[in-house]
Amino acid sequence: MNELHRVATDVATVKLLIDGEFVESATSEWREVVDPATGAVLARVPFATAGEVEAAVAAAQRAFATWRRTPIGARARIFLKYQQLIRAHMGELAAILTAEQGKTLADAEGDVFRGLEVVEHAAAIGNLQLGEYAHNVAGGVDTYTLLQPLGVCAGITPFNFPAMIPLWMFPMAIATGNTFVLKPSEQDPMVTMRLVELALEAGIPKGVLNVVHGGADVVNAICDHPDIRAVSFVGSTRVGTHVYRRASTAGKRVQCMMGAKNHAVVLPDASKAQTLDALAGAAFGAAGQRCMAASTAVLVGEARAWIPELVEKARALKVGAGGEPGTDVGPVISCAARERIEGLIASGVEQGARLELDGRHPAVPGYESGHFVGPTVFSGVKPGMRIYDEEIFGPVLVILEADTLDAAIALVNANPNGNGTAVFTQSGAAARRFQEEIDVGQVGINVPIPVPVPLFSFTGSRASKLGDLGPYGKQVVTFYTQTKTVTARWFDEASAGHGVNTTISLR
């Protein structure tokens, strides 16, 4: 791959992308990219210098002058080609992702595929970036709107979906006529860079897409830069709040998708087998490292008796390296993440929750240096416990109980987060009541992770989201464009009048 350069130590260095060229950073600050299953160092990623960030933005600014005038059909055809390249390289992309992030190959392919769906949507930009037209709003006067690109936009992406989230961002921004500066997660940037390489192969011109790597200094430089018009962020609530405040203070459009505590409400009439399977997959898939994980189950009434079966379902899952056949739960991203998860599990025990299944220190033969946490289940959990109040971001399911649907709805609505929720029931009346009264942005009915397809937009709410517009779908076209309204009137020589007329009569 062109973005990787072998050095004397035989460890790859991840390059920057500036003005169409993959370049070696001049920085003195580097971070190791580590295989979370083995602890092996896969690559070194640079923390870009201030000058390198400036060069990336300047390249994007120069490219915008011509890219914004590129016909919409030409832009669409690039993304038609891009989606073909992603499909052709799906296995390679999934293998890279698994090696650096730890997901199972099946989860890794799902990561890439959900991003691919947005690329396919970007290829339909000709139908998405349409304005409005009103004929003869006054005598001989027409009014119409143009959806025009903003300029240089930027994206800051997290470690947990290193393929999907970048593909949520730069394809739609570029398809709408903007140029882009991307900052991938410094923990697992390699699959992102491979996707970037394929994007250039698909025909994205030099300077239209640029990539810088780094930590807080690079994030702050993006937020502060006067030539960046919009910033999209997905990640933790702490960093997202900082990004939102800093970038919006600098006058930018900002969208921040942040942390969550997603509740799955289970009514007694739910299909037991299907519901238990759904809960296990949604809580422990991707090692629980997703903002839409169903990390909290609320068992209503007689459904409380299902706890032993749910625990056995979790116990049967295989913990192992993501690339090993049959693995259900791979490692978490880092040693620090594992220690934080283990600390939260210990706090649950100390605060009186019942540890039904302890996933700490699982035996994974041949991977003793990996960052593994097995499926963990708590019951008897109550608000005020750290394992409920904090996002664990690991394979830990906490179970609360409620006597009625109304009590469950009140519990969910009392939580400050509003990313996603689900109800499991066979009652249409109960489901409709839930969807009407729940104060959460994304609702699943017998669907545990209700992330919408790109025809719609990701619509998390409350403390899980800052900014009015979400990523991908129709909302992101609004986010990445500005509306210009034109009111036009044309005269011929015979109809020319005399005198001063500064208004248009609407009669």
Side-chain angles (χ1 to χ4, degrees):
M1 295 181 292
N2 293 336
E3 79 278 12
L4 298 180
H5 171 65
R6 290 286 172 184
V7 296
T9 57
D10 199 36
V11 175
T13 60
V14 182
K15 291 189 177 182
L16 310 174
L17 173 63
I18 299 177
D19 204 18
E21 299 292 333
F22 291 104
V23 297
E24 192 79 61
S25 175
T27 188
S28 59
E29 186 178 358
W30 298 79
R31 175 176 178 145
E32 294 178 340
V33 179
V34 176
D35 181 339
T38 66
V41 176
L42 301 175
R44 294 190 307 144
V45 61
F47 280 34
T49 66
E52 289 165 345
V53 175
E54 181 63 39
V57 177
Q61 185 79 338
R62 289 191 301 271
F64 178 65
T66 52
W67 179 247
R68 70 192 301 264
R69 295 183 175 88
T70 301
I72 201 165
R75 284 184 260 142
R77 284 190 288 274
I78 288 173
F79 290 99
L80 284 170
K81 176 65 173 177
Y82 190 33
Q83 62 93 11
Q84 292 174 337
L85 288 170
I86 292 174
R87 287 184 182 277
H89 291 83
M90 181 70 75
E92 175 198 356
L93 292 164
I96 297 171
L97 199 159
T98 291
E100 64 177 343
Q101 203 279 340
K103 289 184 180 180
T104 66
L105 284 170
D107 274 342
E109 288 190 2
D111 189 328
V112 178
F113 183 78
R114 290 309 302 265
L116 172 62
E117 290 181 319
V118 177
V119 175
E120 293 171 340
H121 200 56
I125 193 63
N127 291 323
L128 298 172
Q129 201 172 346
L130 296 175
E132 298 175 312
Y133 186 96
H135 175 68
N136 213 37
V137 295
V141 178
D142 305 321
T143 298
Y144 52 94
T145 60
L146 311 174
L147 299 184
Q148 297 185 316
L150 301 175
V152 181
C153 301
I156 301 164
T157 64
F159 76 84
N160 57 326
F161 283 90
M164 182 183 79
I165 302 298
L167 292 176
W168 280 10
M169 294 182 183
F170 75 79
M172 292 303 299
I174 291 172
T176 49
N178 300 283
T179 56
F180 206 80
V181 177
L182 175 66
K183 194 211 84 67
S185 170
E186 65 277 16
Q187 296 190 75
D188 48 8
M190 295 167 64
V191 71
T192 306
M193 294 307 294
R194 183 62 178 133
L195 285 164
V196 166
E197 190 175 51
L198 293 175
L200 298 192
E201 185 179 338
I204 291 180
K206 62 180 290 188
V208 172
L209 175 60
N210 304 271
V211 183
V212 292
H213 305 285
D217 289 345
V218 173
V219 169
N220 289 339
I222 288 171
C223 293
D224 297 341
H225 201 289
D227 291 334
I228 293 177
R229 299 289 305 278
V231 176
S232 181
F233 170 89
V234 175
S236 72
T237 297
R238 179 184 63 82
V239 179
T241 301
H242 169 78
V243 167
Y244 184 81
R245 289 173 177 169
R246 189 154 184 157
S248 59
T249 299
K252 306 180 194 318
R253 290 187 183 180
V254 191
Q255 56 176 207
C256 292
M257 306 297 114
M258 306 184 298
K261 200 71 177 182
N262 305 311
H263 299 71
V265 175
V266 181
L267 300 185
D269 69 340
S271 171
K272 181 187 287 189
Q274 293 176 339
T275 300
L276 293 177
D277 284 342
L279 289 177
F284 307 121
Q289 298 176 118
R290 48 190 176 196
C291 66
M292 286 295 292
S295 60
T296 305
V298 183
L299 304 185
V300 178
E302 296 174 0
R304 289 177 282 201
W306 299 5
I307 291 176
E309 293 163 278
L310 181 54
V311 170
E312 289 309 307
K313 182 75 67 174
R315 195 190 308 275
L317 298 175
K318 179 184 176 182
V319 180
E324 293 289 337
T327 295
D328 298 303
V329 181
V332 296
I333 188 65
S334 67
C335 179
R338 184 193 68 210
E339 290 174 353
R340 178 181 177 275
I341 295 164
E342 291 174 347
L344 282 165
I345 293 171
S347 78
V349 175
E350 292 167 3
Q351 292 184 314
R354 291 188 296 277
L355 184 56
E356 303 277 359
L357 179 63
D358 189 350
R360 290 174 291 183
H361 313 298
V364 185
Y367 295 93
E368 288 74 17
S369 297
H371 314 312
F372 294 97
V373 180
T376 299
V377 180
F378 278 102
S379 65
V381 178
K382 300 182 183 302
M385 294 180 177
R386 285 186 63 202
I387 55 173
Y388 178 74
D389 293 347
E390 298 182 28
E391 185 177 26
I392 299 173
F393 225 61
V396 180
L397 176 65
V398 300
I399 300 174
L400 291 83
E401 300 177 8
D403 292 330
T404 64
L405 176 59
D406 285 343
I409 291 172
L411 175 67
V412 176
N413 286 346
N415 191 282
N417 294 290
N419 221 25
T421 188
V423 63
F424 290 87
T425 180
Q426 297 188 70
S427 167
R432 181 173 175 79
R433 184 174 180 181
F434 184 85
Q435 75 176 34
E436 289 294 318
E437 297 185 13
I438 208 71
D439 185 17
V440 173
Q442 297 170 123
V443 179
I445 297 174
N446 298 314
V447 176
I449 303 179
V451 178
V453 297
L455 295 173
F456 299 87
S457 188
F458 193 95
T459 53
S461 62
R462 295 194 282 152
S464 295
K465 176 184 177 183
L466 291 171
D468 295 329
L469 299 170
Y472 68 79
K474 295 179 181 178
Q475 287 190 17
V476 86
V477 174
T478 302
F479 179 76
Y480 283 128
T481 61
Q482 53 192 350
T483 302
K484 181 180 289 183
T485 304
V486 180
T487 302
R489 186 176 189 180
W490 297 96
F491 300 96
D492 56 32
E493 289 292 331
S495 62
H498 300 281
V500 176
N501 180 12
T502 59
T503 62
I504 296 174
S505 173
L506 296 180
R507 296 179 181 177

